[in-house]
Amino acid sequence: MNIEQYGWNEIWMKKWNQEWNTQEDGRSYVPGRIVGDFGSKYRVLAETGETWGELAGKFRHSLHEKGEFPAVGDWVALVMQDEGAHAVIHGVLPRHSVISRNVAGSTQDEQIVASNVNTLFLVSALNNDFNVRRMERYLIMAWNSGANPVILLTKADLCENAEEQIADMERAAPGVPVYAVSALLDQGREKLLPYIGSGQTVALTGSSGCGKSTMVNWLSGKNLQLTQGVREDDSRGRHTTTHREMFVLPDGGIIVDTPGMRELKLWEDEGGLDLAFGDISEWAASCRFSNCSHEREEGCAVLEAVQSGQLDEKRLLNYRKTQRELQFQSSKEAKAKRKVASGTGSSKTSQSRTRGYGWRKELDEY
């Protein structure tokens, strides 16, 4: 196994030459990719093969936020030790996409799900756990990441009205590919081939029990990941996958499996809200007032769309709820930054990276 099979190409080589080929500290650095995140340690893939890696002390102390730490999918600078049996991570190459969420609980901190991903498979099972409103939130995360979203509706063999649920999901995700698949019946794999070809990195995300690990095994043709059944009463699953890990597929692509999410707390918005609710944004352009809140104003084109049946009221309610959540989070971040600027808060440095719309043209090159 070599790093080219894990996505290394001329573009990454150019970044490497700009960042690490001119180091003059006497160390011999080599590029590698994070293929497994186990908390305090990482599995890394370098030209010499796969091995365990850990952060260099100086590098660790330079990191102040969770979002700055290496994540699955990152290309990193390594110093190999013990003839390749161990690696020390000294830095991370600039990311071209970052899938992130806010950590669970009341803490305000970024958690990286995966990085340098071309396509994000948003997975939802066609059983009692099917939830259009939840998928709208996943779409915001996807559009903010810079990866291209694709919705996979798994367990199609368990659904008698799959066409109806596919139509519901397509209405909630205008312009986003939606595929119903069944690993049990081996149906739908050919539709996914364009996303899992050589050099492509795809990540899976969704709630527990939606079938992500089953998808990894199905697409790879091997039992790479442990799978478990779901509770019959509510179709909810248990956390089968406990860490983030990357695998090479027989079609040449790379797939990242991630733990299921009990809840998705969104991180900062970089235009993902407007992209996920593109239909509402289009109607909003015709509102009488430019600052229309779409709640009770006269001449609101969005409310007129609801009244005429063109827009599902539940979709609008979810839009309002999510918008308020992101605005509240943004205000908390702004308050924290003001504290830092005034000297009353702790100073934090942020890894330079392109977010949102800015990296979509660059992403097409990978």
Side-chain angles (χ1 to χ4, degrees), residues 7-26:
W8 185 256
N9 54 33
E10 292 182 1
I11 297 174
W12 287 112
M13 178 61 78
K14 182 178 179 180
K15 289 190 176 185
W16 175 264
N17 290 336
Q18 292 172 344
E19 297 269 335
W20 290 95
N21 237 13
T22 57
Q23 299 294 318
E24 299 179 353
D25 57 7

Side-chain angles (χ1 to χ4, degrees), residues 228-334:
Q228 296 188 73
V230 299
R231 298 196 301 255
E232 294 184 3
D233 55 345
D234 60 2
S235 297
R236 296 302 296 274
R238 294 179 287 272
H239 288 295
T240 305
T241 302
T242 57
H243 57 272
R244 297 166 181 85
E245 193 167 2
M246 177 181 290
F247 305 94
V248 174
L249 297 174
D251 298 284
I254 307 108
I255 193 166
V256 181
D257 194 11
T258 65
M261 298 184 188
R262 293 296 189 194
E263 63 171 336
L264 172 58
K265 293 180 63 179
L266 295 169
W267 187 237
E268 60 191 32
D269 183 39
E270 295 288 343
L273 181 69
D274 287 337
L275 284 171
F277 292 91
D279 50 348
I280 294 179
S281 299
E282 290 182 8
W283 276 307
S286 300
C287 290
R288 180 181 301 176
F289 305 106
S290 60
N291 62 342
C292 184
S293 65
H294 319 309
E295 295 193 7
R296 58 179 64 89
E297 294 91 342
E298 291 186 10
C300 175
V302 175
L303 293 178
E304 291 174 2
V306 172
Q307 293 169 0
S308 67
Q310 294 176 280
L311 176 63
D312 186 346
E313 184 178 18
K314 292 181 180 179
R315 180 167 169 79
L316 176 58
L317 293 175
N318 197 31
Y319 171 82
R320 290 174 181 164
K321 176 184 176 182
T322 309
Q323 185 182 51
R324 288 194 295 269
E325 176 187 334
L326 289 169
Q327 288 173 343
F328 175 71
Q329 181 170 303
S330 178
S331 66
K332 290 174 67 176
E333 291 176 9

Side-chain angles (χ1 to χ4, degrees), residues 41-42 95 111 115 142 184 202 206 212 227 254 283 298:
K41 287 194 174 184
Y42 301 89
R95 298 158 172 161
Q111 181 183 60
S115 66
L184 180 64
V202 61
K212 297 186 301 301
T227 60
I254 307 108
W283 276 307
E298 291 186 10

Side-chain angles (χ1 to χ4, degrees), residues 81-267:
Q81 295 184 344
D82 301 326
E83 297 182 349
H86 181 70
V88 180
I89 302 169
H90 286 262
V92 178
L93 269 66
R95 298 158 172 161
H96 75 73
S97 66
V98 183
I99 301 164
S100 61
R101 56 177 287 196
N102 199 351
V103 296
S106 58
T107 305
Q108 188 79 6
D109 220 337
E110 182 180 21
Q111 181 183 60
I112 306 297
V113 177
S115 66
N116 301 321
V117 169
N118 301 96
T119 303
L120 180 59
F121 283 165
L122 306 174
V123 186
S124 177
L126 285 167
N127 55 20
N128 293 334
D129 195 41
F130 180 82
N131 191 313
V132 172
R133 303 284 81 86
R134 183 171 59 220
M135 183 57 70
E136 289 170 343
R137 294 177 63 83
Y138 277 99
L139 281 167
I140 295 172
M141 179 182 70
W143 286 124
N144 282 335
S145 74
N148 293 311
V150 172
I151 296 175
L152 299 188
L153 303 180
T154 62
K155 307 182 183 181
D157 52 285
L158 301 178
C159 183
E160 297 180 356
N161 59 335
E163 294 301 322
E164 180 181 336
Q165 290 185 299
I166 292 171
D168 288 343
M169 195 62 78
E170 288 176 337
R171 283 191 291 270
V176 177
V178 179
Y179 302 113
V181 299
S182 170
L184 180 64
L185 301 179
D186 195 24
Q187 293 179 350
R189 191 180 189 280
E190 70 283 352
K191 300 174 184 176
L192 309 183
L193 294 180
Y195 308 104
I196 59 176
S198 180
Q200 296 293 305
T201 300
V202 61
L204 299 164
T205 189
S207 59
S208 299
C210 67
K212 297 186 301 301
S213 295
T214 299
M215 287 293 300
V216 171
N217 294 340
W218 179 47
L219 294 176
S220 66
K222 301 177 182 178
N223 288 323
L224 298 174
Q225 292 288 74
L226 177 67
T227 60
Q228 296 188 73
V230 299
R231 298 196 301 255
E232 294 184 3
D233 55 345
D234 60 2
S235 297
R236 296 302 296 274
R238 294 179 287 272
H239 288 295
T240 305
T241 302
T242 57
H243 57 272
R244 297 166 181 85
E245 193 167 2
M246 177 181 290
F247 305 94
V248 174
L249 297 174
D251 298 284
I254 307 108
I255 193 166
V256 181
D257 194 11
T258 65
M261 298 184 188
R262 293 296 189 194
E263 63 171 336
L264 172 58
K265 293 180 63 179
L266 295 169
W267 187 237

